Amino acid sequence: TQLLEQSPQFLSIQEGENLTVYCNSSSVFSSLQWYRQEPGEGPVLLVTVVTGGEVKKLKRLTFQFGDARKDSSLHITAAQPGDTGLYLCAGATGNQFYFGTGTSLTVIP
Amino acid sequence: NAGVTQTPKFQVLKTGQSMTLQCAQDMNHEYMSWYRQDPGMGLRLIHYSVGAGITDQGEVPNGYNVSRSTTEDFPLRLLSAAPSQTSVYFCASKRTPRAGNSPLHFGNGTRLTVT
């Protein structure tokens, strides 16, 4: 059972465009994290959100945690080729960390 | 500071063979875990440990065994490999098991093919 569903699964956009990735679940999480993964490497943490409704910004990336702590979104403004990668959300419940299905982003120069 | 080290990077097994994937961390992290990554499935938790001597099952534990005799090491054993276990395996560690803001630190993965 996949607790976290991400959409879209694949996204290919031109440099300079904006995009939003969604991470949805029917479960409540105590915190939610977003990771980015490059080919041949393990995921690397981008941000953690803990409070329902919380918004965090990391340069051109904006992360939001849903009010009910069941979902999250990642918005990228003016995407650049360096943003290309696999984006994964991860929810914490108890001692287990569940990952989403992933969104593969390609930004074309 | 090496972080999380996984060996080997690549492995090919025949059906029925056994092997151990090694994972070591030098950050004195309490929490360690194993994930498998398959296309379209994201990362799925196999087993995890909240400290030396303590292990528990994740989402997809069947066919895998783990042990945690030291804080540093968390090996994953495949007792009788099956083609369905073809995947990329990641080991990850965390300072404490509790949620909060601390990140999971990942190794660079082991790509396993079972023929």
Side-chain angles (χ1 to χ4, degrees), chain B residues 78-91:
Chain B
L78 284 70
L79 296 179
S80 180
S84 61
Q85 294 178 305
T86 293
S87 187
V88 181
Y89 291 85
F90 285 97
C91 178

Side-chain angles (χ1 to χ4, degrees), chain A residues 27-88:
Chain A
S27 301
V28 175
F29 296 101
S30 54
S31 68
L32 197 137
Q33 297 179 327
W34 284 91
Y35 290 78
R36 187 168 79 193
Q37 184 179 16
E38 307 283 350
E41 298 180 5
V44 175
L45 180 72
L46 293 173
V47 77
T48 302
V49 285
V50 178
T51 307
E54 182 176 1
V55 177
K56 279 193 175 179
K57 291 193 174 185
L58 187 66
K59 297 183 181 178
R60 295 174 293 100
L61 279 60
T62 302
F63 304 85
Q64 184 162 8
F65 201 10
D67 292 340
R69 289 187 288 130
K70 292 182 179 181
D71 52 81
S72 181
S73 63
L74 157 61
H75 182 79
I76 301 179
T77 303
Q80 298 178 0
D83 296 327
T84 293
L86 180 66
Y87 289 81
L88 295 155

Side-chain angles (χ1 to χ4, degrees), chain A residues 1 4 11 16 20 26 31 53 55 72 81 92-93 97 106:
Chain A
T1 304
L4 287 161
L11 194 53
T20 302
S26 57
S31 68
V55 177
S72 181
T93 177
F97 297 86
T106 302

